[in-house]
Amino acid sequence: MKETEPYLKILNNLNEYLKKVNFKEILKNYKIELYKGGNYKPGRDHTAYAYIESIGHDSINEYDLYLKDLLPEIKIDTYRETGVIWSKKHEDYDSEKDEKYALNLHKSIKYRAKLLYNI
């Protein structure tokens, strides 16, 4: 019974919960972007990496499965390379394709959410 209590609380107070949800604000804060970086460790292997990640989903009530589905938490590793020569690792990675993918994913998820949430 304890696992279902948070869900039942939302259902029992649905009108109050829906009045408090500011979907436009949640949608405005939700973003999907490409992040690039690395770790430089003198005398050891260096790491270059890139990943696509969503932000802003933490403002959604964790028990609101509908909004969690509309604006999912996303983390996709797109590039990871380890080696001794730091600058070479970053030169090898062409992020243009990943940047386009992140932008298209961002646009399509927000478009779908607007349609299904009816705003």
Side-chain angles (χ1 to χ4, degrees):
M1 181 68 173
K2 285 212 182 251
E3 303 99 34
T4 59
E5 280 181 32
Y7 301 102
L8 291 173
K9 186 177 179 181
I10 287 177
L11 286 174
N12 290 334
N13 302 306
L14 191 57
N15 285 335
E16 287 177 40
Y17 174 74
L18 291 175
K19 286 178 190 175
K20 291 179 186 175
V21 172
N22 186 342
F23 183 71
K24 288 183 181 182
E25 188 68 24
I26 290 170
L27 191 63
K28 185 176 98 176
N29 293 325
Y30 182 82
K31 295 178 176 78
I32 299 173
E33 297 178 346
L34 177 68
Y35 297 92
K36 300 180 276 187
N39 299 316
Y40 177 77
K41 299 177 184 175
R44 297 176 43 199
D45 282 352
H46 312 301
T47 304
Y49 58 83
Y51 58 92
I52 294 171
E53 186 174 45
S54 59
I55 59 168
H57 46 77
D58 55 342
S59 63
I60 301 170
N61 183 314
E62 66 179 301
Y63 300 107
D64 188 332
L65 301 180
Y66 183 68
L67 283 182
K68 288 280 192 189
D69 181 54
L70 286 179
L71 302 169
E73 186 172 352
I74 294 173
K75 176 133 187 209
I76 304 168
D77 287 329
T78 61
Y79 175 77
R80 180 167 296 276
E81 189 66 53
T82 304
V84 178
I85 303 171
W86 172 255
S87 61
K88 180 70 174 145
K89 297 300 165 197
H90 281 288
E91 290 171 9
D92 289 346
Y93 175 59
D94 179 11
S95 64
E96 186 177 333
K97 184 174 112 179
D98 291 339
E99 287 168 356
K100 286 180 183 176
Y101 179 74
L103 180 62
N104 287 336
L105 187 59
H106 173 82
K107 287 179 180 178
S108 65
I109 286 176
K110 285 187 123 175
Y111 177 77
R112 176 183 173 266
K114 285 178 185 178
L115 280 177
L116 294 176
Y117 204 80
N118 200 22
I119 62 164

